[in-house]
Amino acid sequence: MSVRPAWEVREKEGATRWFEFRLAFADGARVDALAVVGGGCVCVEEVRAQPALSLDDLAVLAEWIEEAVARACGAVPGPDGCGAQRRHARAAWPQGAEGRRLVAREYRAAQRGGADPVLAVMGATGHSRRTSLRLIGQARDAGLLPPRRARR
C-alpha cells in the first residue's frame, strides 16, 4: 500500500488533511482511495477499485486505511497535533465483562426495535462488522445473549 499526503487545510488551531492511497496487486487488481483526517475522525471520501470490491472487502479496506493514516499521522507527534491522536479515531469501548454487557444491551435493544442488531453493535462500538461479530460471539459465550439459531 502506498500512502501520500494530498493536501491540508488549516483552520484556527486544527488542520484537516487528505491522504491518497493505492493498493496494487500482482494479478493486476488495483484500489485507489482518498481519506480525510480532521476533528479526530478518519473518513473515506472516495474509493475506485478494479475489479469492484464487495462490502466485506470495503470494510477491510477501511480498516487498512485507518491503520495507514494512524501510522502516517500518529507515528511522531507533529506541530499539527496529529500525533496526539490515538491509533483509532473512535471512542474507547470497555474491555472484558463490561464491554460484553454493553454489546448485549445494544444487541437486544436493536432486536426489540426491529433493527439489525449487528449494525447496532457496529454503530455503538465503532468497530467493523467482523470485530462486532466477534464481540457478539463473546457476549453469547458469556451467556449474555441466547445461542445463535441454526441456519436451514
Side-chain angles (χ1 to χ4, degrees), residues 13-118:
E13 298 169 9
T16 302
R17 300 169 70 184
W18 283 261
F19 293 88
E20 293 177 332
F21 297 85
R22 172 164 285 170
L23 284 154
F25 299 91
D27 64 357
R30 192 173 98 193
V31 178
D32 294 307
L34 179 66
V36 63
V37 179
C41 297
V42 177
C43 299
V44 178
E45 287 198 346
E46 183 177 337
V47 175
R48 294 176 188 239
Q50 188 62 26
L53 296 174
S54 69
L55 289 177
D56 289 337
D57 292 339
L58 192 57
V60 170
L61 175 68
E63 289 177 2
W64 285 353
I65 288 174
E66 186 178 33
E67 291 171 8
V69 166
R71 283 193 305 273
C73 196
V76 177
D80 59 358
C82 196
Q85 289 182 351
R86 296 175 53 120
R87 181 179 169 274
H88 292 285
R90 65 170 64 102
W93 187 258
Q95 301 277 324
E98 179 63 21
R100 288 189 293 272
R101 279 193 294 277
L102 292 173
V103 164
R105 185 185 72 202
E106 291 293 331
Y107 188 96
R108 285 191 307 271
Q111 277 185 322
R112 282 190 302 274
D116 183 334
V118 177

